[in-house]
Amino acid sequence: MIHGVHVLLYSNDPEADRTFFREVLELLSVDAGGGWLIFGLPPAEAALHPAPPDESGHVHAGHGLLGAVVYFMCDDLEDEVRRLTARGAQCTEIDQARWGRKTTIMLPSGGEIGLYQPQHPTALGLS
């Protein structure tokens, strides 16, 4: 039986982004050895979207794996953006999409992760 999901996020500055996840996003972690942090995540869901024509996934450990985009979810986007910016995060303007209200959180490495308030049924709590 599948009991969890391990998400790999590739960063140009993993130490800075680990600090951001720990101190700004306040995610708890375990040290897998040598300071290699693995963060606990909130409940998750997965959706399969058609790949853009120019993207066929990613090669990892010699296998062509599906690509992914990470969006954290929240109940009140404005409140969460206020909380994160008070802790030093930079977020883009809130935008309305057909599936919810969204923003992007800038990471210290220059990478970005999404944050949204869904306006559709979610699969959270089904498992």
Side-chain angles (χ1 to χ4, degrees), residues 36-122:
W36 195 278
L37 301 181
I38 299 175
F39 292 91
L41 295 174
E45 61 183 16
L48 295 166
H49 291 246
D54 58 340
E55 293 183 32
S56 60
H58 302 277
V59 175
H60 187 269
H63 298 276
L65 301 177
L66 295 178
V69 172
V70 174
Y71 271 91
F72 286 105
M73 299 165 72
C74 64
D75 293 325
D76 183 333
L77 188 59
E78 283 87 0
D79 186 54
E80 191 63 21
V81 167
R82 276 192 296 275
R83 187 184 78 76
L84 291 171
T85 56
R87 299 188 60 76
Q90 294 180 356
C91 300
T92 60
E93 285 192 37
I94 293 174
D95 186 35
Q96 180 67 49
R98 66 177 170 73
W99 39 268
R101 303 180 69 233
K102 65 184 177 82
T103 187
T104 301
I105 303 168
M106 310 311 170
L107 299 178
S109 66
E112 302 175 21
I113 54 176
L115 174 66
Y116 86 112
Q117 179 179 336
Q119 294 174 325
H120 59 76
T122 70

Side-chain angles (χ1 to χ4, degrees), residues 8-18 107-111:
L8 305 176
L9 299 175
Y10 291 94
S11 171
N12 292 324
D13 189 347
E15 284 304 316
D17 288 346
R18 288 177 188 136
L107 299 178
S109 66

